Amino acid sequence: MKIVTVIGARPQIIKAAALSRVIKNNFSNVINEVIVHTGQHYDENMSQVFFDELGIPQPNYNLRIGSASHGRQTALMVEGIEEILLEEKPDYLVLYGDTNSTLAGAIAASKIHIPIVHIEAGLRSFNKKMPEEINRIMCDHSSTLLFSPTQTGFNNLLREGFSANTKMPFTADNPGVFHCGDVMFDNSLFFKDVTLDKSKILTDNELQARNFILATIHRNNNTDEPERLNAIFSSILRISEDFEIEVVLPLHPRTSKLLVKNLDSDLYEKIQQSKRLKLIPPVSFLDMIALESNCKLIMTDSGGVQKEAYFFEKPCIILRSETEWKEIVEEGTAIVVNADENKIFAAYDYFSEYEGMSFPSIFGDGKAAEFICETMLTNG
Ligand code: UD1
Ligand code: UDP
């Protein structure tokens, strides 16, 4: 069986590592994977570092599309992916998540009738102003095999008309939907132990285990709307001062660029001068795992980092108006605070006193990637 995998943004490279690893270890005689990088992310620390560190094969193709408006970026990717699919003639196109690279893959493959496998299917924010919400809906509804990481995602698909009772052979008109756990959970289990030995991120940044906050911010509305960006950074600064705690912020390049433009100048100045706020470039995945597993608490608007907070049993403050990962809020380990300064502060205050949280298993058994490979093979 030949599959073409399309990746482009940081989280997709990381997710793809789980499947590539399982193919290499268990299915190398029956699955041939061809990797296409759209080039949506291109800085060394947003792309290449993950190939080096996670042992993913180098992409067979790199379209080098880079940054552009949504329409232009997606259109250029569709053109490039179509050409490759016509050349490679794979049995499946494998897509991850909800980025413009995902959407481009779905458009290109569905037009030329190549069956699509969507990993991380069914997630919904019910907020169509998010570019990701449109991307994931379009991808789900053109897929042949849909793999949902959570029960909520699976239920969302059933509500949208997918059936849990379809039988093989699955096709785009008779899709198979599965609740199989999360490939990111597979990864966190696999890399957790490797990290302990390798990462120097804590010592490099003079951080003490269990005594710092990890924060990541990159959602387009949080970075592009000055009011939201100011509220988030102002509360992070206030928490660091009032609770005398350090905060490490590996900044997405989008955020670094927009901090200068959208933060009030006096707040920007205070943040630059604060000894407790450590604004650092994006970190590698193993460094990120070291930060996640050693911090006291995580504040984030990232989809992946919310889940990793749960994997590493840390409370999480979600800097968004809603989340696709409803389960972690229902378990009481995460709170949705939007970009509301008072709510952010109150959530930190609550978690800093709270002991005895539990993190029951909701993201599978660490074998999602194996299940996905087996299902692709069985469907032929
Ligand atoms: C994209 C995804 C988002 C995902 C995120 C993961 C879409 C619509 N959004 O958002 O769902 O959560 O990736 O990180 O696909 N930039 C660089 N260097 C890079 C990459 C980006 O400087 O290597 C800067 C550019 O100024 C660019 C901006 O970041 O314009 C945004 O990049 P883009 O890929 O368009 O969207 P993300 O915000 O990264
Ligand atoms: N990540 C990383 N280094 C960083 C920030 C994030 O390796 O500096 C990892 C993180 O551990 C997770 C993934 O990137 O696995 C999440 O990607 P991101 O937050 O960019 O996107 P999202 O998940 O919101 O789509």
Side-chain angles (χ1 to χ4, degrees):
M1 169 178 293
K2 186 198 264 188
I3 63 172
V4 167
T5 297
V6 169
I7 52 179
R10 167 172 67 188
Q12 294 169 322
I13 304 171
I14 295 169
K15 287 167 199 167
L19 209 73
S20 297
R21 185 173 59 248
V22 163
I23 292 174
K24 187 173 149 212
N25 293 341
N26 304 355
F27 298 97
S28 59
N29 53 343
V30 277
I31 301 180
N32 170 22
E33 183 182 33
V34 174
I35 298 179
V36 179
H37 193 329
T38 62
Q40 177 169 353
H41 286 174
Y42 44 86
D43 289 348
E44 213 274 335
N45 58 18
M46 294 293 287
S47 175
Q48 188 56 44
V49 65
F50 302 108
F51 289 92
D52 299 341
E53 196 175 61
L54 307 187
I56 314 165
Q58 288 301 316
N60 303 76
Y61 299 88
N62 191 327
L63 298 172
R64 301 190 196 286
I65 304 295
S67 307
S69 68
H70 287 279
R72 181 174 167 72
Q73 187 183 54
T74 309
L76 290 170
M77 289 177 191
V78 173
E79 193 180 352
I81 296 168
E82 181 184 61
E83 230 172 87
I84 294 167
L85 292 177
L86 289 169
E87 172 75 27
E88 293 285 347
K89 300 183 180 56
D91 297 294
Y92 289 107
L93 176 70
V94 177
L95 299 171
Y96 292 91
D98 53 22
T99 71
N100 287 347
S101 298
T102 315
L103 173 64
I107 296 172
S110 56
K111 296 284 179 186
I112 53 175
H113 311 147
I114 290 176
I116 296 166
V117 174
H118 189 202
I119 300 179
E120 221 179 58
L123 278 299
R124 298 289 180 266
S125 63
F126 302 100
N127 172 5
K128 286 195 179 137
K129 286 202 176 126
M130 281 183 83
E132 293 84 357
E133 184 77 348
I134 305 297
N135 293 347
R136 45 170 97 103
I137 291 172
M138 307 272 272
C139 184
D140 280 341
H141 285 267
S142 44
S143 290
T144 288
L145 299 176
L146 296 91
F147 295 100
S148 178
T150 59
Q151 188 64 47
T152 300
F154 187 73
N155 294 346
N156 287 338
L157 292 172
L158 300 189
R159 247 201 317 274
E160 287 176 18
F162 287 93
S163 165
N165 301 318
T166 50
K167 299 272 179 291
M168 277 193 279
F170 299 118
T171 65
D173 290 315
N174 178 48
V177 295
F178 305 91
H179 170 205
C180 68
D182 197 320
V183 290
M184 286 184 73
F185 184 53
D186 298 8
N187 269 341
S188 72
L189 292 181
F190 185 82
F191 287 108
K192 188 164 66 175
D193 299 330
V194 183
T195 306
L196 294 176
D197 299 336
K198 287 207 174 149
S199 176
K200 305 267 177 294
I201 191 85
L202 264 71
T203 40
D204 287 353
N205 288 283
E206 297 172 349
L207 295 165
Q208 287 175 335
R210 300 193 65 78
N211 202 21
F212 67 91
I213 297 169
L214 167 65
T216 79
I217 295 128
H218 77 276
R219 282 272 82 81
N220 62 336
N221 61 343
N222 282 341
T223 55
D224 299 4
E225 294 174 28
E227 205 183 322
R228 294 180 67 91
L229 195 66
N230 276 283
I232 290 170
F233 273 86
S234 167
S235 24
I236 290 176
L237 184 64
R238 188 172 144 213
I239 288 169
S240 76
E241 286 170 352
D242 288 11
F243 291 88
E244 300 185 354
I245 184 154
E246 287 170 319
V247 187
V248 61
L249 298 106
L251 285 188
H252 189 293
R254 170 186 206 112
T255 317
S256 309
K257 286 173 191 165
L258 287 164
L259 271 190
V260 190
K261 183 167 169 248
N262 286 342
L263 269 197
D264 294 345
S265 53
D266 57 332
L267 180 58
Y268 184 75
E269 197 62 22
K270 281 186 192 154
I271 280 166
Q272 295 298 321
Q273 282 169 6
S274 165
K275 292 225 162 29
R276 293 208 173 93
L277 260 53
K278 295 168 190 285
L279 275 56
I280 61 172
V283 298
S284 76
F285 185 61
L286 295 188
D287 283 345
M288 192 64 181
I289 289 187
L291 291 173
E292 290 170 337
S293 53
N294 284 293
C295 69
K296 178 182 167 75
L297 172 144
I298 294 178
M299 299 171 75
T300 191
D301 60 10
S302 155
V305 179
Q306 283 176 55
K307 276 185 293 178
E308 285 164 352
Y310 194 88
F311 303 160
F312 295 107
E313 306 199 341
K314 303 294 172 182
C316 183
I317 297 178
I318 302 172
L319 303 166
R320 288 184 42 196
S321 52
E322 73 284 307
T323 180
E324 300 80 17
W325 307 105
K326 266 174 53 181
E327 285 88 346
I328 65 173
V329 176
E330 286 163 2
E331 290 299 337
T333 67
I335 301 180
V336 174
V337 294
N338 207 351
D340 179 317
E341 209 171 326
N342 291 331
K343 284 189 187 162
I344 297 171
F345 193 85
Y348 184 79
D349 196 24
Y350 168 77
F351 279 133
S352 66
E353 293 299 321
Y354 191 73
E355 297 282 326
M357 237 173 262
S358 71
F359 295 81
S361 162
I362 46 181
F363 291 99
D365 57 3
K367 294 197 162 98
E370 279 175 48
F371 178 85
I372 291 166
C373 288
E374 275 158 10
T375 309
M376 285 192 296
L377 284 166
T378 316
N379 195 47

